[in-house]
């Protein structure tokens, strides 16, 4: 049923980022700890963690647009990432939450966690510009 | 003293050891996420560091257009700004990114190598303040601006 999976770009699939499940219609992304995800030895790279959360934010927004029956082109404006804990050698999850999606701009939060959902390792807040795709 | 083997990773270097940007970049970009991205050393000076991110199909964020994903840009800037801190204090101090903000001016042109220039503009004992730009040929027309902070985790910057 989910068409969201098909929207994960080459960057995401190359890192092993995939849709683990859906929660309230929003995709939960997951990625295994591999050498490709590693920064300092034994820990997740901050940029890789950010990339995962951005993918989760965009996937959440696409799911929301789909629910509304709108086909929009998404353009990232900016992202603010807070790193709270070092990511260790285990599966990392990320879920986006559309805080506000108007006609032109959307604000989406995302968080990443590992074994304890209540102890996120990082947060991201992303602003995304929306524009209608002509002819569709 | 036992013989010290050549470090395989930047983090094998003892905290506080003299920072050699070109050598460190080679260590940092050979393994792990930086190695996978294909980051390479570009240039450095006191308090600044430049790394290069060559375009590659695997790093694309929109398959139809070939535009790089934003993740690789963040990682490029995380690494370049991280190293700019050591390029300012002159020594290797293990640290962690506290936060990073990226403003995307425009999409990088598909096929072009992106240069990430990180700059450390203030050091305190435990916090470093950084900023930087990413561009794909013309520094006057950046792809992204970044700003953020790092925190020393072992030892101090000053």
């Amino acid at each position: 049923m989910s068409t969201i999976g098909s929207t994960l770009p080459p960057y995401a699939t190359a890192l092993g980022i995939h849709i683990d499940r859906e929660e309230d219609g929003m995709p939960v992304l997951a990625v295994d700890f591999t050498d490709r995800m590693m920064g300092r030895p034994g820990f997740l790279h901050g940029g890789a963690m950010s990339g995962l959360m951005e993918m989760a934010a965009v996937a959440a927004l696409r799911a929301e647009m789909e629910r509304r029956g709108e086909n929009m082109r998404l353009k990232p404006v900016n992202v603010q990432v807070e790193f709270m804990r070092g990511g260790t050698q285990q599966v990392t999850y990320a879920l986006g939450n559309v805080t506000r999606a108007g006609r032109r701009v959307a604000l989406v939060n995302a968080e990443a966690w590992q074994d304890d959902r209540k102890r996120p390792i990082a947060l991201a807040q992303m602003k995304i510009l929306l524009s209608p795709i002509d002819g569709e | 003293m036992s013989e010290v083997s050549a470090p395989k990773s930047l983090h094998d270097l003892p905290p506080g050891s003299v920072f050699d940007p070109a050598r460190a970049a080679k260590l940092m970009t050979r393994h792990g996420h930086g190695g996978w991205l294909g980051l390479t050393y570009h240039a450095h000076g006191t308090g600044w560091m430049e790394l290069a991110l060559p375009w590659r199909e695997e790093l694309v964020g929109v398959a139809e257009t070939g535009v790089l994903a934003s993740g690789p840009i963040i990682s490029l800037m995380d690494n370049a700004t991280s190293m700019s801190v050591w390029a300012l204090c002159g020594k290797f101090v293990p640290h962690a990114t506290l936060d990073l903000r990226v403003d995307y001016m425009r999409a990088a042109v598909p096929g072009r190598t992106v240069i990430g220039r990180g700059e450390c503009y203030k050091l305190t004992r435990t916090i470093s303040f950084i900023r930087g730009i990413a561009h794909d040929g013309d520094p006057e027309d950046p792809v992204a601006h970044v700003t953020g902070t790092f925190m020393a985790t072992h030892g101090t910057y000053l």
Side-chain angles (χ1 to χ4, degrees):
Chain A
M1 52 148 281
S2 177
T3 54
I4 299 160
S6 60
T7 67
L8 285 182
Y11 164 75
T13 48
L15 281 174
I17 296 173
H18 58 275
I19 295 175
D20 183 66
R21 60 181 185 274
E22 287 190 13
E23 277 185 19
D24 302 325
M26 290 295 165
V28 176
L29 303 193
V31 64
D32 288 333
F33 187 95
T34 62
D35 183 68
R36 290 182 174 193
M37 291 293 292
M38 193 175 75
R40 68 195 156 101
F43 291 90
L44 278 180
H45 190 282
M49 228 189 274
S50 308
L52 170 68
M53 288 188 292
E54 279 196 316
M55 290 296 137
V58 169
L61 184 55
R62 285 201 193 283
E64 172 66 15
M65 292 292 132
E66 204 171 295
R67 200 179 57 77
R68 292 189 195 177
E70 291 176 7
N71 192 10
M72 295 288 205
R73 182 173 289 121
L74 312 183
K75 202 188 231 181
V77 179
N78 53 38
V79 62
Q80 165 90 26
V81 187
E82 305 287 338
F83 300 96
M84 296 169 317
R85 290 182 178 85
T88 54
Q89 303 181 50
Q90 52 183 317
V91 181
T92 308
Y93 301 93
L95 175 63
N97 175 39
V98 181
T99 305
R100 153 94 180 138
R103 297 172 57 83
R104 302 174 64 185
V105 69
L107 182 65
V108 188
N109 294 334
E111 62 178 38
W113 69 93
Q114 294 189 313
D115 50 348
D116 188 349
R117 180 71 181 264
K118 292 195 182 69
R119 288 164 54 90
I121 58 172
L123 301 175
Q125 190 167 60
M126 203 176 177
K127 233 172 277 101
I128 301 171
L129 204 59
L130 306 168
S131 58
I133 296 174
D134 297 331
E136 287 185 6
Chain B
M1 289 285 287
S2 60
E3 247 183 29
V4 179
S5 59
K8 282 202 224 36
S9 149
L10 187 58
H11 292 268
D12 292 340
L13 298 173
S17 58
V18 173
F19 180 63
D20 172 354
R23 177 165 174 249
K26 219 174 267 175
L27 290 174
M28 186 184 242
T29 56
R30 198 192 299 161
H31 301 281
H33 189 62
W36 173 69
L37 286 175
L39 299 183
T40 56
Y41 169 84
H42 191 251
H44 79 277
T46 304
W48 64 272
M49 181 87 188
E50 288 183 358
L51 298 175
L53 169 69
W55 185 91
R56 192 165 99 238
E57 188 106 47
E58 227 178 8
L59 306 182
V60 161
V62 186
E64 299 76 34
T65 60
V67 168
L68 277 183
S70 45
I73 307 274
I74 300 189
S75 298
L76 166 73
M77 298 315 296
D78 188 19
N79 281 21
T81 55
S82 166
M83 300 183 77
S84 75
V85 174
W86 304 325
L88 183 61
C89 65
K91 57 183 179 179
F92 170 66
V93 181
H95 61 186
T97 321
L98 285 184
D99 61 74
L100 204 58
R101 178 197 162 104
V102 185
D103 285 289
Y104 299 107
M105 312 285 105
R106 61 177 178 84
V109 176
R112 284 198 197 159
T113 292
V114 177
I115 303 296
R117 182 189 170 95
E119 191 189 324
C120 179
Y121 64 93
K122 173 70 181 172
L123 286 173
T124 69
R125 274 171 59 81
T126 49
I127 302 289
S128 55
F129 297 86
I130 57 84
R131 60 189 166 211
I133 61 158
H135 68 83
D136 58 3
D138 180 5
E140 298 301 309
D141 182 23
V143 165
H145 277 263
V146 305
T147 174
T149 53
F150 288 86
M151 181 178 71
T153 51
H154 299 87
T156 57
Y157 294 124
L158 299 178

